[in-house]
């Protein structure tokens, strides 16, 4: 076998390609999941049963499905119903649907943790529900929800590896292919793990910084 | 101005208000006193629809208060509330707290709202704290911001629920003197308080609530100096000479 450094140099271009795809999948899924999660949280805390009931049902439903099954369903079953998606699209949508539940619960926790005195003060100056959420509750809920949201982000980044099962060529997929063509499992997967850590460790550090800033701004 | 007619309110099977009849006239300061759990907060919260009631009527200048009707938002812009624990918006400065209602609920022009908000903060003695966040203010300062926030709505009446009982003793005086000023300027106020001295000096009338009923009411001097009902006498003895 070639010397270690040469092999690393051989593998890195493909793995970096995968890394970028991992980043793309994660960011797109995160944006979608956060938007959808916010919708779930707002519906569930609306105090109106015809809104909170269905939202709760959908969340429990989605949450009960394993990510892999969700991905298979979107990628293999939807085409039979006339909805054709690329593997990349299917991966992003599947992850986003599942994570919208976790993120929605995180946001809901934040909203419910805002002091009741705040909503009473907002109401007492005549605010309606929508404006009260936007101007009083959500700004405070976001601060409360930030640490668990950071965890959601890291989890999502790691779970993005699951989209390899529908052949999205992200980091894990690239690793698997390289390993099976070179039989150099140890080097390849060590590199793969290291590349994930290159993302997760800085992400954790950034989250901690942001938390500290937000804490200080109060 | 605010009229209570046979108001009944229950939490589940617990009846908290058992037929309240009372009135707060325009320009009058009325203090609501009574033992813990007698229903003072509940009565106050019914006035701006933070609680609903099951029977009777609360009317503000003839308009019925219904916590579940769309009209409640309009009513709340006319009846301001000051809370025991201030409830300032922690993510906004003192000035922004005061501007919030006129600007974002009433939709008044920003420059005008700002000028007025600054005036209100100056008059409660906080000219130098306009850009401070609530967390950096003392309890007494926060409560004065809360009073300025209430005034900024140009309300017809202000409700206050024990505005000084969460304060350190040395800051109580500043808040009471702002309240006394308002009373002298004939702001219509309904104030739940244990500050008997304040009630004696600033209130026009006093309502004594016990067990969900108004046991005694009348001019502050009468009720506080020569209470007629034994329960009022007993209560006043206990708050003025705590054991
Ligand atoms: N949301 C609620 N649910 C159930 N019971 C309540 C609720 N709010 C108040 N109560 C009950 O209603 C009664 C009156 O409460 P309220 O807060 O009006 O008393 P209060 O006179 O303001 O007392 P305090 O001086 O301690 O503030 C109490 O027995 C209280 O336990
Ligand atoms: Mg009370």
């Amino acid at each position: 076998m070639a010397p270690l450094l040469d092999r690393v140099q051989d593998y890195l271009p493909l793995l970096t390609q995968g890394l970028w795809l991992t980043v793309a999948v994660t960011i797109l899924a995160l944006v979608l999941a956060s938007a959808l999660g916010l919708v779930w949280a707002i519906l569930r805390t609306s105090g109106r049963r015809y809104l909170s009931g269905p939202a709760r049902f959908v969340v429990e439903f989605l949450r009960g499905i394993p990510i892999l099954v969700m991905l298979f369903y979107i990628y293999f079953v939807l085409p039979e119903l006339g909805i054709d998606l690329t593997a990349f699209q299917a991966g992003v949508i599947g992850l986003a649907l599942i994570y919208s539940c976790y993120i929605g619960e995180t946001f809901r926790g934040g909203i419910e943790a805002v002091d009741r005195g705040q909503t009473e003060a907002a109401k007492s100056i005549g605010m309606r529900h929508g404006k009260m959420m936007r101007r009083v509750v959500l700004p405070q809920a976001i601060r409360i929800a930030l640490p668990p949201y950071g965890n959601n982000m890291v989890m999502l980044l790691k779970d993005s590896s699951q989209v390899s099962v529908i052949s999205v060529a992200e980091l894990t997929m690239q690793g698997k292919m390289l390993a099976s063509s070179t039989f150099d499992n140890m080097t390849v997967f060590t590199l793969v793990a290291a590349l994930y850590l290159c993302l997760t460790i800085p992400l954790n550090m950034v989250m901690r910084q942001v938390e500290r800033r937000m804490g200080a701004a109060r | 101005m605010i009229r209570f007619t046979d108001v009944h309110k229950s939490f589940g099977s617990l009846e908290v208000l058992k037929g309240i009849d009372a009135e707060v006239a325009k320009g009058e300061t009325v203090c609501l006193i009574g033992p813990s759990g007698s229903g003072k907060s509940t009565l106050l919260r019914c006035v701006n629809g933070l609680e609903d009631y099951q029977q009777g009527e609360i009317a503000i200048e003839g308009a019925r208060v219904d916590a579940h009707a769309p009209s409640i938002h309009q009513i709340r812009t006319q009846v301001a509330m000051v809370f025991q624990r201030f409830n300032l918006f922690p993510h906004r400065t003192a000035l922004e707290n005061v501007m919030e209602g006129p600007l974002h609920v009433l939709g008044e022009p920003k420059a005008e709202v700002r000028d007025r908000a600054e005036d209100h903060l100056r008059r409660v003695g906080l000219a130098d704290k306009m850009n401070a966040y609530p967390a950096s203010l003392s309890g007494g300062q926060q409560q004065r911001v809360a009073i300025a926030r209430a005034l900024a709505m140009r309300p017809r009446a202000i409700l206050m629920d024990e505005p000084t009982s969460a304060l350190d003793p040395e800051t109580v005086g500043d808040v009471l003197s702002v309240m006394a000023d308002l009373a002298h300027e004939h702001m219509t106020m309904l104030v739940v308080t244990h500050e008997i001295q304040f009630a004696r000096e600033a209130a026009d009338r006093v309502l004594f609530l016990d067990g969900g009923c108004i046991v005694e009411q009348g001019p502050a001097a009468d009720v506080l100096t020569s209470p007629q009902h034994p329960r009022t006498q007993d209560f006043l003895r206990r708050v003025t000479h705590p054991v």
Side-chain angles (χ1 to χ4, degrees), chain A residues 11 15 66 95 164 166 183 209:
Chain A
Y11 303 156
L15 292 181
L95 281 175
S164 60
I166 52 171
F183 302 106
Q209 273 299 319

Side-chain angles (χ1 to χ4, degrees), chain B residues 69 124 129 139 151:
Chain B
V124 298
K129 296 291 183 187
L151 290 173

